[in-house]
Amino acid sequence: MAPRLANELKPPEKYNPFWIIKDLPRRGTIAGKYLLEDNSNFLESKKVLELETPHLLSNKDIGYPTLNACDNVALDIVLLIKVSLLAHNNHKKSCWEQILPIYPTSPVENS
């Protein structure tokens, strides 16, 4: 999701960390912090570093710029396949087992 959403950043913002946020009913805001490592114009070649894993934050802790998390499963799957194919063509291992959902829909604590 992060490489796709990073296309919404304005040119000067693409060189700085950004946040992807999602409001969860009754829980607050969950956010992750990311940075584009490769600023090319091709979506498939963008590399995104996860600086902070998604976690619950108070509104005062969220930095700028922020992008709202939004699902586009079809586009994200196509992108993952392209990234995997690129890795394969470069004789690199593509670790699908490391891919986890970015934002849980209900982070319920155990009581």
Side-chain angles (χ1 to χ4, degrees), residues 17-82:
F18 61 96
W19 292 85
I20 297 177
I21 63 171
K22 183 170 184 151
D23 291 323
L24 299 175
R26 302 176 308 276
R27 292 291 294 168
T29 301
I30 191 167
K33 188 175 184 181
Y34 304 89
L35 177 66
L36 284 174
E37 186 178 64
D38 181 349
N39 295 305
S40 70
N41 292 327
F42 299 103
L43 186 62
E44 294 85 10
S45 62
K46 289 189 183 298
K47 295 178 185 171
V48 178
L49 301 175
E50 185 177 65
L51 303 178
E52 289 187 35
T53 59
H55 56 282
L56 286 171
L57 293 177
S58 68
N59 286 338
K60 65 181 180 178
D61 293 332
I62 299 172
Y64 177 84
T66 60
L67 301 169
N68 289 316
C70 62
D71 295 328
N72 188 332
V73 175
L75 186 57
D76 290 342
I77 288 173
V78 169
L79 179 58
L80 284 172
I81 291 170
K82 287 181 179 181

